[in-house]
Amino acid sequence: MIGYVPPTLPFFAPLLGLAGAIIGSFLATITVRWPEGRSVLRGRSTCDGCGRRLRAWQLVPLVSWIASRGRCTACGARIDPRHPLIEGGCLVIGVISGVAAPGMVAVAGAVFGWLLLTLAVLDARDFWLPDPLVAALALTGAAGAAFAPPALLDRIAGGLGGFLALWLIAAAYRRVRGRDGLGGGDPKLLGAIGLWLGWRLLPATLVIAGMAGIGWIVARRLRGGAVAADDMLPLGTLLAIAAYPAWLAMIINGV
């Protein structure tokens, strides 16, 4: 493992943050369009309310949303909050990654965080972890062994261990209760996370995800919402929330 090594390039962290905001604009479009069956690659950007084509000045990440006060300047429709959420989140992740690690290690960590944020939003809103995004997370995790810890064998062990752990739990629950208790994408996601973190950090990631889940339930109760034993929780979101801090701990502290 490597300990903390500050970036050597001036303004590296802000530049990575700027890249995050730009990439986040596309990732936000994915979370809005993909669940609705709309293409994320074809056609120009339009207002989701009136369909009016957006001009270049209306597509500047975060700035355009702030300038328009979160509404379409033509029809007044509210801009989906996923746009500023993901653009801002990706900006923050880029800056943090650039501060925490040097060079390509920081870029890799930023990519990890950006993909996790996208998957977290999709699972929280639609209970959906698209296989192509999970596969992208897994492939970039395996490729990251070329220039960053952990070693490839640790990553492979983490990938297999993460997938099998949740797959076996899901199979046991299905056998005992006669119904599904986990979504099919959750084992794949933990396997992909294992390819980034290695096997050593998976238990801590699961513990943090569990604590986040408890916090989710408590917050829901405090807002007056009912909580039943069979209510669904977006486990993928909870895993994503836990995984990026685990990566930061690994890089900064060499754990």
Side-chain angles (χ1 to χ4, degrees):
M1 295 293 180
I2 64 172
Y4 173 75
V5 180
T8 56
L9 297 177
F11 308 114
F12 179 72
L15 286 175
L16 195 54
L18 177 61
I22 296 170
I23 292 170
S25 180
F26 173 70
L27 296 176
T29 300
I30 287 178
T31 66
V32 172
R33 292 187 182 182
W34 207 356
E36 298 175 357
R38 294 190 288 158
S39 172
V40 298
L41 299 176
R42 299 176 183 175
R44 296 181 58 181
S45 296
T46 60
C47 170
D48 292 327
C50 63
R52 179 174 178 267
R53 286 186 176 182
L54 301 178
R55 299 178 180 179
W57 65 269
Q58 295 173 304
L59 297 173
V60 180
L62 289 176
V63 175
S64 296
W65 181 82
I66 294 172
S68 65
R69 299 182 180 181
R71 294 189 176 275
C72 173
T73 55
C75 69
R78 181 169 174 260
I79 297 173
D80 194 297
R82 281 173 286 186
H83 287 286
L85 170 66
I86 295 179
E87 291 169 1
C90 286
L91 185 153
V92 171
I93 288 169
V95 171
I96 292 175
S97 299
V99 170
M104 285 303 298
V105 179
V107 173
V111 170
F112 184 46
W114 296 337
L115 288 172
L116 286 173
L117 177 59
T118 307
L119 288 162
V121 172
L122 282 168
D123 199 39
R125 187 177 177 95
D126 300 291
F127 287 98
W128 185 40
L129 297 170
D131 284 343
L133 282 183
V134 176
L137 187 70
L139 291 173
T140 51
F147 49 82
L152 180 59
L153 288 179
D154 284 345
R155 290 175 184 252
I156 292 174
L160 292 174
F163 174 80
L164 287 174
L166 287 190
W167 186 86
L168 289 172
I169 290 174
Y173 186 95
R174 189 182 305 111
R175 184 176 182 85
V176 172
R177 300 294 299 274
R179 59 185 176 86
D180 289 331
L182 289 177
D186 295 325
K188 299 174 188 177
L189 177 59
L190 188 58
I193 289 171
L195 285 169
W196 276 92
L197 302 179
W199 61 271
R200 291 179 177 86
L201 282 176
L202 285 184
T205 302
L206 285 170
V207 170
I208 296 172
M211 294 174 63
I214 294 172
W216 187 302
I217 293 171
V218 170
R220 186 171 175 178
R221 290 294 300 271
L222 290 175
R223 293 197 303 265
V227 178
D230 58 351
D231 281 354
M232 295 176 62
L233 284 179
L235 179 58
T237 300
L238 303 176
L239 291 173
I241 290 171
Y244 183 71
W247 177 85
L248 286 174
M250 178 180 69
I251 295 299
I252 295 176
N253 300 316
V255 298

